[in-house]
Amino acid sequence: MGDGFPRFCWIVLSWILIVSIHQVQLSEPQAAAAGCDYFQGSWVFDKTYPLYNTTDCPFIEKEFDCQANGRPDQLYLKYRWKPTDCMLPRFNAKDLLRKLKGKKMMFIGDSLSLNQWQSLTCMLHAFLPQSNYTVHREGNLSTFYLPVSCQI
């Protein structure tokens, strides 16, 4: 990774992607004028997490599946990021699929980007477990296709 700059760039690009996917709802009126600093906040316990089960997801690679690799605890799965001055809405697969209908999304980067696209596909798979998805891998390039019905 060298001096760490490329990793920082991918982290910033990942946050931009997350923010562009989610429609951020500010929790306090005065925060709207000041904006939201997504980097200031804390991890908060949320008993409704995780959003998917790795054992039910066919997209998690063995190297990244902590539970399958013997990690005994699961408490770390119950945390989500909470910015200080605003609120990130809970992931809504139906809403995301509606917004992305007819569009493509690309993740470019290292293993962090790989983790992010695998998590996203797992969350979509949890929403549509019986879907006719396709995954094509050629070298380091992975393509995921999820046909979505007109009802979404």
Side-chain angles (χ1 to χ4, degrees), residues 15 36-44 80-86:
W15 273 104
C36 181
D37 184 353
Y38 301 106
F39 297 98
Q40 296 298 315
S42 59
W43 290 100
V44 295
R80 64 177 172 82
W81 181 251
K82 166 70 176 84
T84 302
D85 294 325
C86 57

Side-chain angles (χ1 to χ4, degrees), residues 51-122:
L51 298 177
Y52 63 89
N53 187 335
T54 59
T55 59
D56 298 333
C57 182
F59 311 112
I60 299 290
E61 293 183 12
K62 182 182 177 199
E63 298 84 2
F64 300 114
D65 189 345
C66 295
Q67 302 303 299
N69 285 315
R71 183 168 178 165
D73 65 315
Q74 293 188 6
L75 188 61
Y76 72 98
L77 297 171
K78 300 279 186 186
Y79 284 83
R80 64 177 172 82
W81 181 251
K82 166 70 176 84
T84 302
D85 294 325
C86 57
M87 187 171 146
L88 293 173
R90 185 174 175 87
F91 177 77
N92 183 322
K94 186 175 185 176
D95 189 43
L96 177 66
L97 290 172
R98 188 179 302 121
K99 289 178 181 180
L100 291 178
K101 189 171 184 174
K103 298 179 177 109
K104 295 179 181 180
M105 180 186 295
M106 183 179 283
F107 288 80
I108 301 171
D110 57 13
S111 61
L112 289 175
S113 298
L114 177 65
N115 291 152
Q116 289 176 335
W117 96 257
Q118 287 178 355
S119 290
L120 178 60
T121 55
C122 288

